[in-house]
Amino acid sequence: MNEIDELIHQKTRLSIMSHLYVSAKLGMLYLKQKTGISWGNLASHVAKLEEGGYVQVTVERENNKNITILELTNEGRKAFDSYREIMQQILTPED
Amino acid sequence: MEKHHSKYFVLQSIIYCKVLYIIMNKINDLYTIEQEIYRESISDGMMEIFMGILLFFVSLFWGNEEFISFGIIITLFIFPIIQERIRKRFVYPRTGYVEPKSDDSFEFTAFIIFMITIFLVSGLVVFLLPNGYEDTENLYRVIPFTLGMVMFGPAFELSDRSGQDRYLLLGILPTISGLAITVWSVSDVPWSPFTGIQLFAYVWGGLFITLGLIRFGIYIIRNPVNFEEGVDNE
């Protein structure tokens, strides 16, 4: 059996990945409101996912303020698919 | 020592099961999250305003044909640009940027069946009107009803993607009112058949724009900008 992806296998990062998986793009502010964690915490988790190549981060400038937008990369999408598959294998009782 | 080990093992198993339980819920919840994201993306009322403007241009087109190119340019090219400017100014600093997944579940067969159904039901209504197909104006009179049924397309899409059945009203109410206008326009009302189409489009265009503006107002009130965290200042 494949190993569980430790980068996704964490409550907040799983929540971030789940939201990005079912959307085209999401802002940091939206994710902050959905996860209920602080900016610092969220930024740290997003940085980890970005380093892992799962998330692409773009920053748009509007009215002298930055809007950070996140998008799942193809690699991230594949990783999440395989994570779901592994978790379902683990949780499905064997006959 | 062995007793201590077994206690540790039981505790670890319980924690692991709890974690799996949370994760399993998250995985099963993807569809709900998708619907929530879609609902969020249409919560600012812009979609209703867009539909209202489109209907207004249908009306203008029937009244004055030179408006057609102007209407198409405005609604398809200029409105999305204006909409994005408004969202950047008012929406993203409040609830953040939200772009739902594009709908890749478009089924051509279902679309064809839907269009054939509209065509057949409209044909039946024309048949049932006084003088049926002999009166060619009946073909224009039925258009408000047909437009109402066409609204079922976006109504089904909205209801399905948002998980809220109330969006079906956007198909039901225009169909009922379209039928009423169609039937009414064959009575003694001194209308041309085109007036019925214009009445339908103006009324529903106006209602959609009003509904959109109300939703936008409610959205602004309910979601104040958090000046510290509304937009991340880096």
Side-chain angles (χ1 to χ4, degrees), chain B residues 162-178:
Chain B
S162 69
Q164 291 179 320
D165 290 340
R166 68 178 182 203
Y167 282 109
L168 290 176
L169 287 174
L170 297 182
I172 295 168
L173 296 178
T175 302
I176 293 170
S177 60

Side-chain angles (χ1 to χ4, degrees), chain B residues 20-234:
Chain B
L20 283 184
Y21 179 71
I22 293 165
I23 290 164
M24 195 59 189
N25 277 344
K26 283 279 174 198
I27 290 167
N28 287 338
D29 232 19
L30 283 177
Y31 188 55
T32 313
I33 296 172
E34 189 172 358
Q35 287 182 327
E36 199 183 323
I37 288 171
Y38 188 75
R39 280 201 298 274
E40 194 71 50
S41 73
I42 55 171
S43 65
D44 57 13
M46 290 291 154
M47 180 205 63
E48 286 87 346
I49 296 172
F50 179 70
M51 283 170 82
I53 290 173
L54 259 178
L55 280 169
F56 252 88
F57 280 119
V58 168
S59 229
L60 288 171
F61 163 62
W62 283 110
N64 192 343
E65 288 183 14
E66 63 224 29
F67 269 106
I68 184 71
S69 52
F70 180 63
I72 288 172
I73 290 168
I74 291 279
T75 45
L76 295 182
F77 296 103
I78 299 174
F79 187 81
I81 296 168
I82 298 169
Q83 181 181 265
E84 189 57 20
R85 295 293 308 164
I86 295 171
R87 281 185 166 157
K88 274 185 176 172
R89 177 82 178 81
F90 297 103
V91 177
Y92 304 153
R94 286 177 160 80
T95 51
Y97 182 91
V98 178
E99 188 182 323
K101 243 166 112 173
S102 55
D103 186 17
D104 46 11
S105 64
F106 179 78
E107 285 177 32
F108 188 72
T109 319
F111 174 73
I112 294 295
I113 292 170
F114 176 64
M115 294 311 286
I116 290 172
T117 308
I118 289 174
F119 182 76
L120 291 176
V121 176
S122 298
L124 180 68
V125 169
V126 173
F127 178 73
L128 293 173
L129 288 174
N131 299 323
Y133 287 99
E134 284 170 24
D135 185 354
T136 50
E137 289 204 339
N138 280 345
L139 296 174
Y140 295 104
R141 285 191 178 105
V142 82
I143 289 175
F145 174 65
T146 308
L147 278 175
M149 281 202 298
V150 167
M151 301 284 283
F152 264 111
F156 280 136
E157 160 102 3
L158 284 165
S159 164
D160 180 47
R161 293 194 71 187
S162 69
Q164 291 179 320
D165 290 340
R166 68 178 182 203
Y167 282 109
L168 290 176
L169 287 174
L170 297 182
I172 295 168
L173 296 178
T175 302
I176 293 170
S177 60
L179 184 63
I181 290 171
T182 296
V183 173
W184 195 24
S185 67
V186 288
S187 65
D188 291 334
V189 180
W191 278 354
S192 76
F194 301 112
T195 321
I197 300 162
Q198 284 181 307
L199 178 72
F200 176 85
Y202 274 134
V203 167
W204 278 104
L207 281 174
F208 277 126
I209 290 173
T210 310
L211 182 66
L213 290 172
I214 291 170
R215 284 196 81 180
F216 184 68
I218 292 170
Y219 171 86
I220 296 289
I221 293 165
R222 278 192 185 163
N223 302 289
V225 177
N226 185 329
F227 287 102
E228 282 176 20
E229 300 181 319
V231 178
D232 48 318
N233 296 292
E234 289 161 292

